[in-house]
Amino acid sequence: MLLGLYSYAGKVDVTKNARKFPWMTQLLCRFCRRQSPNFTFTSIQVNVNTQSAPHVDANNLGTSRIICFGEYSGGGLWMESPNGPETHKLAKSIRDKPQYAAGT
């Protein structure tokens, strides 16, 4: 669920979920501002019991922040870092990203 602003095809608007759940949007914005007062953002993505293949968030602008809640297991998050201590080998290519070909 995306809460906040979005930009698509030259249009900027407030998401339907932010309009439907204004209390949740306000609560999460307050929480984020308390955790990192100097971090600016326009939207919040909420995922629950979500599993996805390796991908690149192509429409994000600037730095992203991830906050995890609850008890969970078996998941993982991998972020590219040229000097990072670990590697991850892609089983499939990431669409529209030739630098992330299968096997790299």
Side-chain angles (χ1 to χ4, degrees):
M1 170 178 12
L2 182 63
L3 301 168
L5 297 177
Y6 73 91
S7 174
Y8 182 76
K11 180 182 177 184
V12 176
D13 203 351
V14 176
T15 64
K16 290 179 185 177
N17 284 322
R19 292 180 200 276
K20 185 175 179 180
F21 304 109
W23 56 271
M24 182 184 295
T25 305
Q26 292 171 3
L27 179 68
L28 290 172
C29 284
R30 285 186 194 139
F31 175 81
C32 290
R33 287 186 186 118
R34 281 193 180 171
Q35 294 299 308
S36 301
N38 297 321
F39 185 76
T40 58
F41 58 94
T42 58
S43 57
I44 298 172
Q45 176 68 38
V46 177
N47 295 332
V48 177
N49 296 332
T50 302
Q51 183 178 21
S52 68
H55 65 281
V56 174
D57 290 337
N59 293 321
N60 290 11
L61 298 175
T63 304
S64 293
R65 171 91 24 115
I66 297 171
I67 302 172
C68 303
F69 297 98
E71 295 182 28
Y72 45 88
S73 63
L77 175 67
W78 179 82
M79 297 181 348
E80 180 183 24
S81 176
N83 300 320
E86 298 180 23
T87 61
H88 176 77
K89 192 171 192 175
L90 293 170
K92 292 183 177 181
S93 296
I94 296 179
R95 184 178 58 170
D96 300 327
K97 299 291 179 185
Q99 69 271 35
Y100 299 118
T104 60

